[in-house]
Structures are given as C-alpha cells and as structure tokens.
Amino acid sequence: LTPIMWSLVTLFSLTVLVSMIAFTRSDKFKKIARFLSLMTFTFPLVTYILQPISLSIQGPFKYVSSIVFVCLILSIFLTFIGNKYGYAKAILFFAAAYLFIQIIDIAFGGTLQFNTVFGNATIVAGRFAGWGNSSFAFMSIFTIVFVAMVKEVTQKVELQKTKKINLFLLFSMFIVLIFDGAPYFGSDVGGVLALTPAFFFLSMMLYERRVGIKAVFLSTVITVTTITIFALVDLSRPVAERTHLGRFANSLKNGEAGITIERKMAASIYSFHRPVLVVISIMAIIYFVFIALSKNQYFKKTYELYLGLKFIVIPALIVAVLGTLLNDSGLSIPAMSAVIVIPVFTLLAFDIKD
C-alpha cells in the first residue's frame, strides 16, 4: 500500500505546486492545474472501485498504473462536465457519486473497505466494519463539499424550493451520520464526536442562523446525546455482536477505559511521525498560506464569489480539528481532508480568471 500512498502524495504535491504557478505566472498552466486537481480529487474513490480486482493486479507498479489510468478517464469526463456546465456542477456530481457508492457499500457489508489503501487491512486492522479513519475523513469532507456545491448551484432558486433543498441536505447529513456511527454499520466513535458538531454548524448555516455560545453548547449536548444513544444501542446487543463502542462504554462503566484512551492517544501522536501525512500537511499549509496572504487575494476573491465555499470552511475546520484530537489516526484526518478541499478550491478559484 505504501507505493499507492506515495503516488497520492506526489499527485497532491504536483497539484499544489502547479496551481501556485498558474495563480502567479501564466494562464497556460491553468488547464494542467485543473486536470491535476481532478486527478487528485478522484484518486480516493478509484482505490475503492478497484478493490474487487485488486488481487488480480500483480505488483505495485501495475496497481498504481491502474489507479492512475482510471483517474485519467474520470478526470477527462469531469473536465467535459466542468467545461460545459461549470466546475461546481462537476464537483457536485462526483461528490454525490462518492457518497452514493460508499453508503451502498457499507449497507451491504462494506466489501470495498477491505484491503484498500484507505480502508481496513484484514491482517492488522482493529476495525472490520464500517469506515476506517481515512475513509471517515473522505466521507466527512465529501459530504460537506456535496452540501456546499448543492447550495452553490441552487442559490438562485425560489424560497420554497430552497426550503425543500435544505431539508434534503439535512436528511443527507443524517444518513451519513447514521452509517458512520450506528453499531450495525461500524460505530465510529471519533467520527461521531467530530462529525456531529460539524453537521450541526453546517445545518445552522443552511438556515442562516447565528453561531454563538448557545450554539456551541447545544452542539455539545447533541453530540454527547448522539454518541450515548449509539452506545446504549450497542450495549443492548449480544456481547459477541458488540462493536468497539459498546466495549469501550462497558470498560468506562467498569473504570477500565484508561488503557484504551492511552493506546489511542499514543497512536494519534505517532501519526505525526508518518512521512506521508507530514508531507501532505506541509504542502497543504504552503498552499493555504499562499492563497490567504497573496497580494492578489486569491482566497478572499474566491470566497466572496462562491456561496458554496462558505459552507466548506468552518465545517471542514471542525472535522479537521476534532478529528485530530479525538481520533487515533490523528493527523490523517486533516491531511486526507486537505487532499479533497485543495482541488475543490483550485477548480473554483480558476473560474475567476476565465
């Protein structure tokens, strides 16, 4: 799996560097940056799509080549959609496809999660159901991007339709939360603790509600209530069928949860020593500092032009921060989120220069 991860790092780094060149020096790099962004954007899903035939692809070179080839095909298709209908719609289409495939997969046993680079390794993994930590990061950010792009492409519809759209988006977030946290689908403890407040604030933004101290308190209450409900449901099941959420809740009741917490904290700290995650994080920081502090105000111009971006920034930060603090994969959550957010921003930002 290491060659695949480094392939993503290389692709992501190229996307960042070429995008920065296209921003500052020449428009002729714009098409290259867009295509690299789409390649990076589609990379995670392709690794899942190829899972059923992964054993028949011999050797890391052939496997990486297969991933790159499928990414090329998808990127060409999305380029066609982007050029004809706008890149916001291309992003929306792919985000919807990602969510649909992942939810259907988990609903029918999560086959695509096994032995994939971002899924669950059957030899060493402690999780054999639901989304793993990297998968959670992608599901979270793709859900946020999906909501954001729906709001972007529907911002001019009439009020009555807007209300229906908001209800649909609330339902979509609820479905993702259920599939992430319900014991029957995997009980992702850290995921629920990070995703619930992110979705809460995203929901408030849909209805243009002010986010203040009361909202933070209410978000905390809802998050604790949600994880408690999932834990009680898990504890009600036979011992042999319980997930790690139920086992942790039971150890918490017996005063034995300290060992589990200590182990997860150690794993989280260790993630900051993983070269792949460190490189992605450094490149992401360089990109964000560049667009934020540039004299041409790339971030400000794009943020003001696209309503959808307003629905990405805060929820994505919540997932990144809480995911890092409350998840044993630590740095993996913000790093994998950046792999999706940066291509999305690049694709939208270059529309300003069209």
Side-chain angles (χ1 to χ4, degrees):
L1 300 180
T2 300
I4 302 174
M5 283 299 297
W6 279 109
S7 299
L8 176 61
V9 171
T10 303
L11 187 57
F12 178 73
S13 299
L14 282 172
T15 300
V16 169
L17 294 174
V18 175
S19 296
M20 291 169 64
I21 293 172
F23 272 129
T24 57
R25 294 187 180 180
S26 174
D27 281 0
K28 67 183 180 181
F29 286 96
K30 188 194 306 183
K31 291 183 179 180
I32 300 175
R34 277 179 170 167
F35 200 79
L36 286 172
S37 295
L38 290 172
M39 290 280 290
T40 304
F41 188 58
T42 56
F43 194 100
L45 180 60
V46 172
T47 63
Y48 294 106
I49 292 174
L50 292 181
Q51 191 276 344
I53 62 171
S54 60
L55 295 178
S56 64
I57 305 175
Q58 300 297 320
F61 178 77
K62 287 185 178 180
Y63 195 55
V64 170
S65 298
S66 300
I67 293 173
V68 171
F69 176 75
V70 178
C71 286
L72 279 169
I73 300 300
L74 287 175
S75 298
I76 291 171
F77 175 67
L78 291 174
T79 298
F80 170 77
I81 295 177
N83 290 336
K84 188 170 184 178
Y85 302 104
Y87 279 89
K89 290 184 179 179
I91 294 168
L92 172 59
F93 173 82
F94 188 80
Y98 185 95
L99 296 177
F100 177 79
I101 290 172
Q102 289 286 2
I103 289 173
I104 292 298
D105 176 51
I106 293 298
F108 288 92
T111 305
L112 298 182
Q113 306 302 314
F114 292 116
N115 293 326
T116 55
V117 64
F118 302 116
N120 305 316
T122 53
I123 296 177
V124 299
R127 168 186 289 274
F128 301 101
W131 292 306
N133 293 323
S134 295
S135 295
F136 159 75
F138 288 128
M139 276 301 297
S140 301
I141 203 64
F142 268 112
T143 304
I144 292 169
V145 168
F146 173 74
V147 172
M149 291 303 102
V150 168
K151 295 300 292 183
E152 174 63 36
V153 301
T154 63
Q155 59 182 296
K156 294 182 180 180
V157 301
E158 58 189 36
L159 180 60
Q160 195 60 35
K161 288 185 178 179
T162 298
K163 291 180 179 179
K164 292 181 180 179
I165 290 169
N166 287 345
L167 287 174
F168 166 73
L169 293 176
L170 289 175
F171 177 74
S172 300
M173 288 186 280
F174 176 75
I175 291 296
V176 171
L177 185 61
I178 291 297
F179 273 88
D180 182 58
Y184 305 102
F185 302 116
S187 285
D188 183 8
V189 181
V192 172
L193 294 176
L195 204 55
T196 304
F199 282 178
F200 175 82
F201 283 103
L202 189 53
S203 301
M204 291 195 67
M205 293 173 71
L206 290 177
Y207 289 94
E208 301 180 359
R209 297 295 178 86
R210 181 176 176 274
V211 177
I213 298 300
K214 290 183 179 179
V216 174
F217 175 76
L218 183 57
S219 172
T220 304
V221 171
I222 292 174
T223 301
V224 173
T225 302
T226 302
I227 197 67
T228 300
I229 291 172
F230 285 148
L232 291 175
V233 171
D234 204 13
L235 287 171
S236 69
R237 306 164 78 200
V239 175
E241 297 179 12
R242 290 177 187 172
T243 67
H244 63 294
L245 172 59
R247 294 192 295 271
F248 177 74
N250 193 57
S251 66
L252 193 64
K253 182 178 65 175
N254 297 330
E256 303 170 352
I259 297 176
T260 302
I261 295 174
E262 196 173 310
R263 175 176 57 80
K264 288 184 176 292
M265 288 180 63
S268 179
I269 293 172
Y270 175 75
S271 71
F272 286 82
H273 297 278
R274 292 179 60 187
V276 166
L277 300 180
V278 171
V279 173
I280 289 176
S281 299
I282 290 173
M283 294 304 296
I285 291 170
I286 291 172
Y287 180 91
F288 287 128
V289 169
F290 170 77
I291 62 171
L293 301 183
S294 169
K295 63 180 181 180
N296 291 319
Q297 299 181 315
Y298 298 120
F299 178 80
K300 183 180 179 181
K301 289 179 181 178
T302 309
Y303 188 81
E304 291 176 349
L305 183 64
Y306 289 97
L307 172 69
L309 283 177
K310 296 176 175 62
F311 294 91
I312 293 179
V313 177
I314 295 178
L317 282 173
I318 293 173
V319 168
V321 173
L322 293 183
T324 302
L325 296 175
L326 303 173
N327 202 300
D328 55 6
S329 284
L331 191 60
S332 175
I333 307 303
M336 294 303 101
S337 297
V339 165
I340 303 303
V341 170
I342 287 178
V344 168
F345 186 89
T346 297
L347 291 167
L348 296 177
F350 283 143
D351 278 349
I352 295 176
K353 301 176 74 174
D354 279 343

